[in-house]
């Protein structure tokens, strides 16, 4: 697969991880074709991408679960070498309240794309999966061989189901090569502060809550529990800079491009390989940005996993990829991004 001007459809390409991946694809010589319905993303992300790249990008506004719409996109863009599929509903809490919405959207979009890949001889797909498939692991660090646990939410279950759909397609000898990337906790923003995480409403994730509290948007941050079995009693996660995560998608595409076999299925953990606690994040944020955070310790939150971090040896060797940016880098970039939003 020649990299130069090789077209790649990126569903959800205006979202948090998608937008950073679009930038890295262009930097690596690919031509991303963004498909997004802007339900979970802002149009300003496209402006941010174009400012960073100093050029226009191709965007189709629509739903990637819509067969006719997607068929039209593929018909207009010849020579598509692969797809990166980010588009999905992703709020854990909402998925518990509205399971059918999540099952319909998150599985339909994948099924539509797989049908069209076969119709149009597109052989490579990189799927956006999650470390939630491991639940509370029995052993750390988590490897790709670690057992999957029953999902804690319909959202988490859709990731497991989609992985199973992809594996079944490969086992049926459908002519697709699959890489599923199981992300750990993406944080940070592009160093330019042109793109970053834009949570709708109250953030579900720690770092946007930290930056919004520092900016005075939230009154205070509550740390859920300090009696866990970790070095400071708070939950431990593997936080990965979103730019490193974006580059992993480029590495996955390159990896698929070298495959001569007709149908292969590969899963990779994408993290840093080290864990940081909630208090590590807070202390590092205060340290690198020279700012004090208003936070309190509250009770444990139901459903929180005590600790999880990745073994990333397989991605390091097979994908020739490694996380390069630190927790401090990510928290500096996240704060720079938050400050850029205040100016708007």
């Amino acid at each position: 697969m020649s990299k130069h001007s090789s077209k790649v459809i990126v569903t959800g390409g205006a979202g948090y991880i998608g937008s950073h991946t679009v930038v890295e694809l262009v930097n690596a010589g690919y031509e991303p074709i963004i498909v997004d319905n802007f339900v979970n993303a802002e149009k300003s992300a496209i402006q941010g991408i174009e400012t960073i790249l100093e050029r226009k990008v191709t965007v189709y506004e629509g739903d990637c679960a819509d067969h006719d719409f997607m068929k039209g996109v593929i018909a207009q863009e010849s020579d598509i070498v692969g797809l990166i599929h980010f588009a999905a509903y992703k709020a854990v809490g909402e998925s518990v309240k509205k399971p059918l919405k999540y099952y319909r959207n998150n599985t339909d979009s994948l099924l539509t794309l797989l049908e069209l890949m076969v119709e149009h001889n597109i052989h490579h797909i990189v799927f956006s999966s999650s470390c939630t498939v491991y639940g509370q692991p029995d052993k750390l660090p988590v490897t790709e061989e670690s057992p999957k646990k029953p999902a804690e939410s319909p959202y988490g279950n859709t990731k497991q189901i989609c992985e199973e759909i992809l594996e079944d397609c490969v086992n049926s000898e459908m002519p697709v090569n699959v890489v599923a990337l199981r992300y750990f906790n993406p944080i940070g923003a592009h160093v330019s502060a042109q793109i970053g995480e834009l949570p709708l409403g109250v953030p579900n994730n720690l770092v946007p809550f930290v930056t919004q509290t520092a900016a005075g948007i939230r009154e205070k941050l509550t740390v859920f529990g300090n009696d866990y079995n970790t070095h400071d009693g708070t939950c431990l996660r593997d936080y990965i800079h979103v730019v490193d995560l974006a580059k992993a998608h480029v590495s996955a595409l390159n990896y698929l491009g070298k495959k001569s076999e007709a149908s292969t299925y590969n899963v990779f953990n994408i993290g840093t390989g080290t864990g940081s606690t909630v208090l590590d994040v807070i202390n590092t944020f205060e340290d690198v940005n020279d700012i004090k955070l208003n936070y309190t310790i509250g009770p444990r939150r139901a459903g929180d996993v005590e600790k999880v971090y990745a073994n990333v040896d397989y991605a390091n060797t097979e994908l020739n990829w490694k996380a390069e940016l630190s927790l401090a880098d990510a928290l500096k970039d996240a704060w720079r991004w938050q400050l850029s939003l205040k100016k708007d």
Side-chain angles (χ1 to χ4, degrees):
M1 176 165 82
S2 136
K3 276 203 299 190
H4 295 289
S5 77
S6 298
K7 289 182 188 171
V8 180
I9 290 179
V10 185
T11 70
Y16 175 41
I17 304 166
S19 58
H20 289 82
T21 301
V22 165
V23 168
E24 297 307 326
L25 284 166
V26 172
N27 289 343
Y30 288 99
E31 187 56 43
I33 310 295
I34 297 171
V35 175
D36 208 303
N37 62 2
F38 296 97
V39 167
N40 272 330
E42 298 288 338
K43 301 231 167 124
S44 57
I46 303 298
Q47 292 166 306
I49 292 167
E50 292 180 339
T51 303
I52 293 165
L53 295 173
E54 299 180 338
R55 52 157 283 195
K56 291 277 182 211
V57 288
T58 305
V59 183
Y60 290 89
E61 185 173 350
D63 186 347
C64 64
D66 179 335
H67 193 280
D68 292 342
F69 163 73
M70 281 309 298
K71 200 178 171 81
V73 171
I74 293 168
Q76 267 184 277
E77 302 290 342
S78 54
D79 304 327
I80 291 161
V81 296
L83 284 99
I84 303 179
H85 183 37
F86 292 108
Y89 292 149
K90 62 182 193 315
V92 171
E94 187 193 39
S95 80
V96 175
K97 294 189 184 82
K98 299 179 178 175
L100 292 181
K101 174 181 172 178
Y102 275 67
Y103 285 115
R104 166 75 69 199
N105 182 70
N106 292 8
T107 58
D108 264 13
S109 53
L110 179 63
L111 295 171
T112 299
L113 294 173
L114 287 165
E115 286 166 357
L116 288 164
M117 285 175 71
V118 175
E119 279 175 42
H120 296 272
N121 285 325
I122 301 167
H123 300 297
H124 304 310
I125 182 167
V126 179
F127 177 68
S128 168
S129 192
S130 164
C131 69
T132 58
V133 302
Y134 300 119
Q136 174 66 68
D138 304 320
K139 237 170 80 187
L140 288 169
V142 173
T143 73
E144 289 80 1
E145 306 302 311
S146 296
K148 290 188 196 177
K149 296 289 181 71
E152 300 278 337
S153 68
Y155 161 74
N157 202 26
T158 65
K159 290 297 179 192
Q160 294 199 7
I161 290 166
C162 287
E163 280 195 13
E164 285 161 10
I165 289 168
L166 288 162
E167 197 165 7
D168 287 343
C169 287
V170 167
N171 290 340
S172 76
E173 298 188 356
M174 200 169 124
V176 292
N177 292 314
V178 177
V179 164
L181 298 180
R182 290 178 181 160
Y183 313 157
F184 281 70
N185 292 60
I187 58 167
H190 195 270
V191 70
S192 66
Q194 291 292 334
I195 51 175
E197 191 168 5
L198 270 176
L200 304 171
V202 180
N204 288 314
N205 297 335
L206 174 63
V207 171
F209 219 109
V210 165
T211 60
Q212 288 188 11
T213 303
I217 298 164
R218 309 272 156 217
E219 189 194 342
K220 66 174 183 193
L221 169 74
T222 301
V223 176
F224 298 112
N226 65 345
D227 57 349
Y228 288 100
N229 180 25
T230 60
H231 70 82
D232 59 23
T234 62
C235 286
L236 179 138
R237 298 287 180 272
D238 189 337
Y239 295 98
I240 177 168
H241 198 301
V242 66
V243 171
D244 278 333
L245 176 55
K247 288 176 177 172
H249 293 79
V250 179
S251 298
L253 265 187
N254 292 343
Y255 173 79
L256 286 173
K258 296 187 188 110
K259 292 243 170 253
S260 50
E261 309 97 299
S263 30
T264 57
Y265 179 76
N266 302 272
V267 174
F268 296 97
N269 286 338
I270 303 296
T272 62
T274 55
S276 305
T277 64
V278 175
L279 285 177
D280 288 336
V281 170
I282 289 170
N283 295 334
T284 305
F285 179 85
E286 290 185 329
D287 207 30
V288 297
N289 297 309
D290 199 20
I291 192 166
K292 277 279 166 241
L293 264 186
N294 182 22
Y295 69 92
T296 55
I297 306 292
R300 289 185 179 199
R301 183 172 57 177
D304 273 347
V305 169
E306 178 170 88
K307 45 189 168 185
V308 62
Y309 61 98
N311 176 314
V312 286
D313 294 349
Y314 188 47
N316 293 169
T317 52
E318 282 293 297
L319 294 182
N320 196 21
W321 167 90
K322 195 170 192 297
E324 288 165 351
L325 297 162
S326 67
L327 181 66
D329 294 328
L331 294 171
K332 259 190 285 203
D333 292 339
W335 181 230
R336 197 182 295 115
W337 163 245
Q338 182 68 56
L339 292 175
S340 82
L341 295 176
K342 269 186 101 175
K343 294 191 190 88
D344 290 351

